[in-house]
């Protein structure tokens, strides 16, 4: 009878020690002892690496101190721009009946979008080529009306007939 009480007291003592050793590991030592780390990108719902951007901002010494929100905001902006360019480049690839995006498709996407073209005005994309463009002065003159075209055709036939009669 006395042995049982000593064991119960020992078990309580051991449980108290376990609780003390798990202080600061979550909910007062209850539940799971080790919580899985959640990245700042996951917390913000982003794909771009917030921690890496924070590290680069600090290493580059743009300022003495970098706020906690700055790398999150920057990652969100970069992710948005990337998604926008990739969507337009994917459309350009599909227009060319291709399944892979190549630098040419990225070039076409950027140069055909007014705002992206303004943002990337001084940027050269390797293997991107140029937009297809022929100056209007170099194009042949088009006849506007079908009637005028028909009149010219008839006049041309008459001149051919007159020249044959003279011979």
């Amino acid at each position: 009878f006395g042995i049982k009480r000593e064991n119960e007291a020992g078990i309580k003592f051991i449980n108290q020690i376990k609780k003390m050793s798990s202080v600061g590991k979550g909910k007062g030592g209850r539940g799971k002892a080790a919580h899985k780390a959640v990245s700042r990108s996951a917390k913000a719902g982003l794909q771009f690496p917030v921690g890496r951007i924070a590290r680069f901002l600090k290493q580059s010494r743009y300022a003495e101190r970098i706020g906690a929100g700055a790398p999150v905001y920057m990652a969100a902006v970069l992710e948005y721009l990337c998604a926008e360019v990739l969507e337009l480049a994917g459309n350009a690839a599909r227009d060319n009946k291709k399944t892979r995006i190549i630098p040419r498709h990225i070039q076409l996407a950027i140069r055909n979008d007014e705002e992206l073209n303004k943002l990337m005005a001084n940027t050269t994309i390797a293997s991107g080529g140029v937009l297809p463009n022929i100056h209007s002065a170099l194009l042949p003159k088009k006849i506007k009306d079908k009637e005028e075209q028909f009149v010219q055709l008839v006049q041309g036939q008459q001149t051919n007939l007159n020249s044959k009669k003279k011979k």
Side-chain angles (χ1 to χ4, degrees):
F1 203 50
I3 298 172
K4 191 174 182 183
R5 284 188 183 166
E6 288 177 6
N7 285 343
E8 286 177 350
I11 292 171
K12 285 182 182 178
F13 179 71
I14 291 171
N15 286 338
Q16 286 177 345
I17 292 174
K18 282 183 181 177
K19 282 184 183 179
M20 289 170 62
S21 65
S22 65
V23 170
K25 291 185 181 176
K27 303 174 183 177
R30 296 188 308 267
K32 295 180 182 175
H35 287 278
K36 192 162 187 175
V38 180
S39 68
R40 286 190 278 175
S41 298
K43 285 179 186 174
L46 298 172
Q47 298 299 314
F48 270 51
V50 174
R52 186 177 299 178
I53 290 172
R55 187 177 78 232
F56 290 155
L57 285 172
K58 289 174 187 174
Q59 286 176 352
S60 300
R61 307 296 292 168
Y62 291 111
E64 267 187 52
R65 300 164 69 181
I66 303 294
V72 176
Y73 196 94
M74 190 170 186
V77 169
L78 290 173
E79 185 173 320
Y80 168 75
L81 285 172
C82 188
E84 190 74 22
V85 170
L86 283 174
E87 182 184 350
L88 294 172
N91 294 342
R94 192 176 60 238
D95 292 344
N96 291 326
K97 299 182 178 97
K98 305 284 187 212
T99 55
R100 256 186 219 152
I101 295 173
I102 59 173
R104 173 72 177 158
H105 301 141
I106 296 171
Q107 174 82 320
L108 291 172
I110 290 171
R111 301 303 169 209
N112 286 325
D113 186 83
E114 185 181 338
E115 291 173 340
L116 284 174
N117 189 28
K118 191 174 179 183
L119 179 68
M120 309 269 288
N122 299 322
T123 306
T124 303
I125 296 173
S127 302
V130 295
L131 283 182
N133 184 26
I134 301 172
H135 197 276
S136 58
L138 300 173
L139 293 172
K141 294 178 182 174
K142 294 183 180 177
I143 300 170
K144 292 180 182 177
D145 294 330
K146 296 265 184 179
E147 293 174 7
E148 289 180 23
Q149 191 175 9
F150 179 72
V151 169
Q152 285 184 351
L153 181 67
V154 171
Q155 287 176 351
Q157 287 177 349
Q158 286 177 353
T159 54
N160 286 343
L161 289 173
N162 290 340
S163 63
K164 287 182 182 177
K165 286 181 182 178
K166 289 181 182 177
K167 290 181 182 179

